[in-house]
Amino acid sequence: MAPPAPEDDGPEAPVAFVDDPVPARSRSRIDAEDSHEVTLRNQSDIPAFMRMATVATASIIFNDGLERALRPGELTIGRDPDNDLVLITKTVSRQHARLVFTDGRWLLEDRGSVNGTLLNGHRIQPGAQLPLRHADRIEVGSQTIIFSQPAQLVDADRTETAPELPVGRSRALSPLQIQVVGCLCRGWLEGGTLEHLPSNEEIAAQLGTPGAAGTVKAALRRAYAKAGVTDLPAHEKRRALCRIARERGWI
């Protein structure tokens, strides 16, 4: 049986990063291709070596795979051109949310938006600042952003998040596919990188069924189709599946 056709989840919100001395409001348009570098208006008063370490380890990843480093300070998000990250869609408020770097960690805050800001599927209270952890999923209107900080130290005081609600915009994975994709992406979710993902044989061993690489391959093939990444090159397809699985709440 042929795998199901990739799903089309609709167009993503245009994204623009502000990084030049010309006020955004004076420009005729914002070019997402030319304005990807993030500028933070308020650089925090922390040692330079700490800022450099954070730049190297913290970033945000968009639905199309675009990844941009975060610099300590504040990153404002919204529809208004004065924001550091401009999302041009009616589902995003003019002053929607912000990321704040405080005491060595990144925090997420909703700025009283109409549609709210979701962290791992849960709406956060306006004004409350919640700590971000590696692979956290942030939803601002129709745009999903993944917070990435692979080098983040294990927090002994970490409180596990409540079970996430299933995302209804795409077909869910089967129980076997969830197990396989979970094994594929586990290292990344625990702080590793997407450059070193396990092979089908290694996944089969993790599942306690060594020698069942063919079953793992078949499960991944169906997951690729549901994620709409079937036509990508093999290694890129696996990386994309992890990002999409996290965005959609599959893992």
XYZ file of all heavy atoms in Angstrom, residues 112-161:
378
model
N -0.307 40.030 27.221
C -1.721 40.360 27.163
C -2.316 40.186 25.785
O -3.237 40.926 25.405
N -1.832 39.197 25.034
C -2.316 38.983 23.667
C -3.754 38.476 23.670
O -4.224 37.887 24.646
C -1.412 37.969 22.953
O -1.485 36.710 23.598
N -4.440 38.673 22.550
C -5.839 38.242 22.424
C -5.939 36.727 22.364
O -6.750 36.106 23.058
C -6.482 38.870 21.173
C -7.877 38.299 20.944
C -6.544 40.386 21.309
N -5.125 36.091 21.524
C -5.202 34.647 21.334
C -4.301 33.858 22.277
O -4.313 32.628 22.264
C -4.864 34.296 19.881
C -5.945 34.777 18.926
O -7.133 34.657 19.222
N -5.544 35.333 17.799
N -3.515 34.557 23.064
C -2.688 33.889 24.050
C -1.396 33.326 23.486
O -1.201 33.227 22.276
N -0.507 32.953 24.400
C 0.760 32.311 24.069
C 0.768 30.939 24.731
O 0.468 30.823 25.923
C 1.942 33.144 24.585
O 1.888 34.455 24.008
C 3.265 32.487 24.228
N 1.066 29.907 23.958
C 1.049 28.543 24.484
C 2.476 28.018 24.645
O 3.310 28.208 23.761
C 0.275 27.614 23.557
C -1.260 27.579 23.704
C -1.870 28.927 23.333
C -1.865 26.498 22.829
N 2.725 27.368 25.772
C 3.999 26.714 26.026
C 3.730 25.225 26.173
O 3.041 24.801 27.108
C 4.657 27.270 27.298
C 5.979 26.632 27.716
C 7.026 26.789 26.622
C 6.480 27.236 29.028
N 4.226 24.456 25.206
C 3.985 23.009 25.178
C 2.497 22.679 25.254
O 2.063 21.751 25.941
C 4.738 22.318 26.323
C 6.236 22.440 26.177
O 6.762 22.434 25.065
N 6.944 22.570 27.283
N 1.702 23.474 24.522
C 0.275 23.209 24.418
C -0.576 23.817 25.508
O -1.804 23.696 25.469
N 0.033 24.504 26.482
C -0.713 25.078 27.584
C -0.614 26.603 27.549
O 0.480 27.159 27.458
C -0.191 24.555 28.919
C -0.299 23.065 29.059
N -1.449 22.438 29.440
C 0.605 22.077 28.833
C -1.271 21.128 29.457
N -0.023 20.886 29.081
N -1.760 27.266 27.641
C -1.780 28.732 27.602
C -1.208 29.291 28.894
O -1.551 28.837 29.991
C -3.211 29.226 27.400
C -3.327 30.740 27.233
C -4.681 31.120 26.671
N -4.808 32.558 26.494
C -5.744 33.132 25.736
N -6.630 32.376 25.102
N -5.799 34.436 25.617
N -0.332 30.292 28.769
C 0.279 30.884 29.954
C -0.447 32.168 30.324
O -1.041 32.837 29.471
C 1.781 31.152 29.728
C 1.996 32.212 28.650
C 2.511 29.871 29.358
C 3.468 32.565 28.443
N -0.409 32.511 31.594
C -1.086 33.706 32.076
C -0.327 34.956 31.638
O 0.907 34.997 31.717
C -1.180 33.688 33.605
C -2.096 32.617 34.162
C -3.546 32.836 33.752
O -4.041 33.964 33.723
N -4.226 31.751 33.412
N -1.046 35.989 31.171
C -0.375 37.234 30.775
C 0.455 37.796 31.932
O 0.003 37.819 33.079
C -1.546 38.166 30.420
C -2.655 37.235 30.031
C -2.505 36.048 30.931
N 1.664 38.207 31.628
C 2.534 38.805 32.633
C 3.387 37.815 33.391
O 4.413 38.187 33.971
N 2.984 36.547 33.407
C 3.784 35.535 34.104
C 4.989 35.160 33.245
O 4.877 35.038 32.031
C 2.937 34.293 34.388
N 6.126 34.968 33.862
C 7.344 34.601 33.151
C 7.698 33.162 33.488
O 8.022 32.844 34.628
C 8.491 35.547 33.513
C 8.269 36.972 33.035
C 9.487 37.855 33.255
O 10.366 37.533 34.052
N 9.546 38.969 32.565
N 7.638 32.281 32.478
C 7.916 30.863 32.676
C 9.268 30.494 32.080
O 9.592 30.915 30.968
C 6.821 30.012 32.032
C 5.392 30.231 32.558
C 4.443 29.230 31.898
C 5.347 30.100 34.064
N 10.075 29.703 32.791
C 11.397 29.317 32.272
C 11.268 28.397 31.074
O 10.394 27.526 31.021
C 12.044 28.603 33.461
C 10.891 28.119 34.284
C 9.817 29.143 34.134
N 12.141 28.582 30.097
C 12.161 27.755 28.898
C 13.227 26.681 29.031
O 14.303 26.921 29.597
C 12.441 28.617 27.666
C 11.315 29.561 27.243
C 11.790 30.487 26.134
C 10.088 28.774 26.789
N 12.920 25.505 28.477
C 13.851 24.398 28.493
C 14.057 23.897 27.064
O 13.219 24.131 26.193
C 13.339 23.277 29.403
C 12.931 23.771 30.781
C 12.514 22.648 31.694
N 11.804 23.147 32.867
C 12.376 23.720 33.911
N 13.694 23.871 33.923
N 11.669 24.145 34.935
N 15.148 23.231 26.854
C 15.488 22.727 25.529
C 14.322 21.942 24.928
O 13.730 21.078 25.577
C 16.725 21.834 25.608
C 17.095 21.205 24.302
N 17.512 21.947 23.213
C 17.075 19.910 23.901
C 17.759 21.119 22.213
N 17.490 19.887 22.598
N 13.982 22.267 23.656
C 12.924 21.614 22.876
C 11.524 22.020 23.302
O 10.552 21.407 22.858
C 13.064 20.097 22.896
N 11.377 23.061 24.138
C 10.038 23.560 24.457
C 9.372 24.106 23.192
O 10.035 24.715 22.339
C 10.115 24.670 25.504
C 10.104 24.128 26.928
O 9.873 22.920 27.092
O 10.317 24.921 27.866
N 8.067 23.902 23.098
C 7.298 24.355 21.945
C 6.496 25.597 22.324
O 5.673 25.575 23.230
C 6.348 23.244 21.471
C 5.626 23.568 20.177
C 4.752 22.399 19.711
N 3.559 22.243 20.524
C 3.354 21.256 21.390
N 4.300 20.344 21.596
N 2.233 21.154 22.072
N 6.738 26.705 21.596
C 6.051 27.969 21.832
C 5.104 28.231 20.669
O 5.520 28.180 19.512
C 7.068 29.136 21.945
C 8.086 28.854 23.050
C 6.351 30.455 22.197
C 9.282 29.798 23.027
N 3.845 28.512 20.967
C 2.873 28.818 19.923
C 2.406 30.259 20.077
O 1.857 30.639 21.110
C 1.689 27.857 19.985
C 2.075 26.419 19.653
C 0.904 25.471 19.735
O -0.048 25.628 18.946
O 0.943 24.573 20.602
N 2.649 31.042 19.038
C 2.237 32.448 18.988
C 1.323 32.597 17.776
O 1.794 32.610 16.639
C 3.463 33.379 18.872
C 3.019 34.833 18.804
C 4.404 33.158 20.038
N 0.022 32.669 18.013
C -0.907 32.673 16.894
C -0.778 31.372 16.117
O -0.768 30.287 16.687
N -0.628 31.483 14.807
C -0.493 30.299 13.947
C 0.955 29.857 13.788
O 1.234 28.877 13.110
C -1.089 30.599 12.565
O -0.423 31.698 11.963
N 1.889 30.555 14.410
C 3.315 30.244 14.269
C 3.807 29.413 15.443
O 3.539 29.741 16.608
C 4.135 31.539 14.200
C 5.636 31.333 14.080
C 6.048 30.890 12.697
O 5.687 31.512 11.715
N 6.805 29.818 12.623
N 4.510 28.326 15.149
C 5.130 27.500 16.182
C 6.632 27.724 16.166
O 7.267 27.701 15.113
C 4.821 26.003 15.955
O 3.408 25.801 16.019
C 5.500 25.152 17.022
N 7.195 27.938 17.334
C 8.625 28.179 17.493
C 9.171 27.181 18.503
O 8.561 26.951 19.546
C 8.890 29.622 17.990
C 8.279 30.654 17.033
C 10.381 29.873 18.176
C 8.273 32.064 17.586
N 10.299 26.570 18.195
C 10.946 25.647 19.114
C 12.141 26.346 19.759
O 12.986 26.911 19.074
C 11.423 24.369 18.399
C 10.241 23.652 17.740
C 12.137 23.446 19.381
C 9.196 23.165 18.702
N 12.174 26.320 21.090
C 13.324 26.860 21.819
C 14.384 25.769 21.908
O 14.103 24.649 22.340
C 12.908 27.304 23.216
C 14.059 27.772 24.069
C 14.613 29.023 23.881
C 14.584 26.947 25.056
C 15.684 29.453 24.656
C 15.653 27.365 25.838
C 16.203 28.631 25.643
N 15.595 26.084 21.491
C 16.673 25.093 21.472
C 17.844 25.582 22.309
O 18.350 26.694 22.102
C 17.136 24.845 20.031
O 18.217 23.931 20.001
N 18.251 24.757 23.265
C 19.438 25.051 24.080
C 20.057 23.724 24.504
O 19.972 23.298 25.655
C 19.072 25.900 25.301
C 20.281 26.499 25.995
C 19.891 27.477 27.082
O 18.785 27.439 27.589
N 20.804 28.361 27.444
N 20.717 23.025 23.551
C 21.256 21.685 23.821
C 22.211 21.632 24.991
O 22.290 20.607 25.677
C 21.964 21.328 22.506
C 21.292 22.167 21.476
C 20.948 23.449 22.160
N 22.950 22.715 25.238
C 23.938 22.695 26.307
C 23.356 23.086 27.658
O 24.088 23.249 28.629
C 25.097 23.631 25.962
N 22.042 23.244 27.717
C 21.394 23.636 28.972
C 21.681 22.605 30.063
O 21.520 21.406 29.859
C 19.884 23.758 28.747
C 19.117 24.315 29.936
C 17.626 24.371 29.633
O 17.026 23.381 29.257
N 17.041 25.547 29.765
N 22.103 23.068 31.206
C 22.416 22.165 32.316
C 21.145 21.562 32.874
O 20.083 22.165 32.840
C 23.149 22.924 33.432
C 24.523 23.504 33.050
C 25.085 24.286 34.215
C 25.471 22.386 32.651
N 21.276 20.346 33.393
C 20.122 19.686 34.015
C 19.748 20.456 35.276
O 20.592 20.758 36.110
C 20.455 18.231 34.367
C 19.288 17.588 35.111
C 20.778 17.461 33.104
N 18.470 20.796 35.392
C 17.965 21.537 36.543
C 17.425 20.548 37.572
O 16.414 19.890 37.348
C 16.857 22.494 36.085
C 16.363 23.390 37.213
O 16.811 23.205 38.357
O 15.521 24.268 36.931
N 18.086 20.448 38.708
C 17.660 19.489 39.734
C 16.299 19.822 40.299
O 15.606 18.955 40.844
C 18.697 19.459 40.869
N 15.895 21.085 40.173
C 14.604 21.516 40.714
C 13.507 21.509 39.668
O 12.423 22.027 39.896
C 14.716 22.931 41.300
C 15.690 22.980 42.470
O 15.725 21.989 43.222
O 16.385 23.996 42.617
N 13.792 20.947 38.498
C 12.830 20.962 37.414
C 11.535 20.236 37.798
O 11.562 19.145 38.358
C 13.430 20.294 36.171
C 12.424 20.160 35.031
C 13.086 19.659 33.775
N 12.125 19.521 32.698
C 12.454 19.240 31.444
N 13.716 19.076 31.137
N 11.541 19.137 30.528
N 10.424 20.878 37.484
C 9.116 20.269 37.669
C 8.625 19.786 36.321
O 8.589 20.552 35.363
C 8.113 21.298 38.238
O 8.595 21.754 39.510
C 6.747 20.669 38.410
N 8.268 18.521 36.235
C 7.816 17.977 34.967
C 6.504 18.638 34.541
O 5.624 18.880 35.372
C 7.590 16.463 35.083
C 8.868 15.686 35.339
C 9.848 15.814 34.183
O 9.389 15.959 33.030
O 11.062 15.782 34.427
N 6.371 18.926 33.268
C 5.163 19.556 32.757
C 4.027 18.540 32.735
O 4.240 17.330 32.658
C 5.389 20.102 31.339
O 5.830 19.019 30.501
C 6.452 21.175 31.341
